[in-house]
Amino acid sequence: MNGTRIYARLWHGVLAVIVLASLVIQISLTVRGQPGADGVVQPAVTRVVRLFSYFTIQSNILLLIVSATLALNPGRDGRLWRVIRLDAVLGIIITGLVYATVLAGASNPSGAGWWSNLGFHYIAPWWALAGWLLFGPRSRTDKRTLWWAVLWPVAWIGYTFAHGAATDWYPYPFTDVTDLGYGAAVLNMTFVVVIAVLFAAMLWGLDRRLPGGRPAASSPVPVTDVERQPQS
C-alpha cells in the first residue's frame, strides 16, 4: 500500500536524521579534542582513527546508509545491500545491548556528548529494530547473506586486537588486552559473537515468517528489477 510506503519512508528518514546528527556531534567533539583519562590531548589524526575504531560508530554508519536508502526506496534490495542491512541491524542491536548491560554504568556524557550518546545507544538501536519489525522490507535474509555478514564483525575483532597491539589502545574495557590478557579479551569477544549469531538466527526466522515479504532468493537480485516492482 502507498500509505505503508509513506510511513516506512518517514520512519527510516527520521532514523537517518537522528544517526547523522549524532555522528556530526561526535565527530565535531573529536576534532575539537578533549583530554583523555591521563589528561593528555592526543593528536587529531589519532583521535579520529580511534573514533572510527569503535564498533558503535561503525554500526551507526552502516545504519545511516541503510536508513537513508530505505527512506528513498522502502523496497530496496540487492546482494551487497542485503549484507549491509543485516550487519547494520545486528550491529546496532548489539551496540544497544552491550552499552546498556556493560558500559552505561561507567559512562557519564555531558553537554553535546549526552545528545550523541542518546542517539547512538538509546534511540538508534530500538528505533531500527522497531522499523525492521514494522516495515521490513522482507524477505532479505538467506544463508548466503548470513555468511557474508559475518565478515565485518570478524574483521573488526581482528583490527581491534592488531590496533591495540600496535598502540596499546582498545576501544572498550572488555577488549583491553593490557588489563585483561588475551584469554579474557578473546573470551569476551567470543561472547559478543555468540550473541550476534543468536540474534542473526532470530532475525532470519522472523524475516521468513513476518507478513509483507516474498521468498528470499539465494542468487543475486538486481536492484533495478526490484525497483520496478515497489513493495508496500
Side-chain angles (χ1 to χ4, degrees):
M1 298 291 181
N2 288 336
T4 303
R5 285 179 61 86
I6 292 173
Y7 290 133
R9 295 182 69 176
L10 179 62
W11 187 278
H12 295 303
V14 169
L15 178 58
V17 170
I18 291 171
V19 174
L20 178 61
S22 300
L23 285 169
V24 169
I25 291 172
Q26 193 59 54
I27 292 172
S28 299
L29 292 174
T30 300
V31 171
R32 189 183 309 168
Q34 294 179 341
D38 55 2
V40 176
V41 178
Q42 297 293 332
V45 173
T46 300
R47 297 197 303 269
V48 171
V49 169
R50 289 181 177 181
L51 174 66
F52 288 98
S53 297
Y54 282 97
F55 189 86
T56 294
I57 299 300
Q58 294 183 18
S59 61
N60 273 277
I61 289 173
L62 291 177
L63 184 62
L64 175 60
I65 294 170
V66 168
S67 56
T69 55
L70 286 175
L72 295 173
N73 177 19
R76 178 69 185 269
D77 202 356
R79 172 55 55 192
L80 177 60
W81 189 85
R82 287 184 180 187
V83 176
I84 295 174
R85 176 174 179 260
L86 180 57
D87 273 332
V89 175
L90 280 176
I92 204 65
I93 291 173
I94 292 171
T95 293
L97 286 174
V98 171
Y99 184 83
T101 58
V102 178
L103 302 174
S107 177
N108 188 28
S110 60
W114 185 90
W115 291 101
S116 64
N117 183 66
L118 177 68
F120 286 148
H121 297 115
Y122 291 102
I123 299 178
W126 315 122
W127 192 284
L129 178 59
W132 184 87
L133 291 170
L134 290 170
F135 303 111
R138 56 187 124 261
S139 300
R140 296 294 190 270
T141 308
D142 53 28
K143 291 181 179 179
R144 186 176 178 183
T145 300
L146 287 171
W147 281 110
W148 280 106
V150 170
L151 290 180
W152 167 54
V154 170
W156 179 80
I157 291 172
Y159 165 79
T160 297
F161 285 139
H163 184 248
T167 64
D168 198 30
W169 177 87
Y170 296 87
Y172 303 105
F174 60 86
T175 66
D176 195 330
V177 172
T178 304
D179 289 341
L180 303 176
Y182 273 104
V186 170
L187 184 62
N188 290 338
M189 290 290 207
T190 302
F191 180 69
V192 173
V193 170
V194 169
I195 293 176
V197 170
L198 292 176
F199 268 97
M202 182 188 71
L203 293 177
W204 183 25
L206 288 173
D207 196 37
R208 297 158 65 89
R209 290 171 174 79
L210 289 173
R214 64 181 190 282
S218 296
S219 58
V221 179
V223 175
T224 54
D225 291 345
V226 177
E227 289 177 343
R228 293 192 193 107
Q229 302 176 10
Q231 297 182 352
S232 60

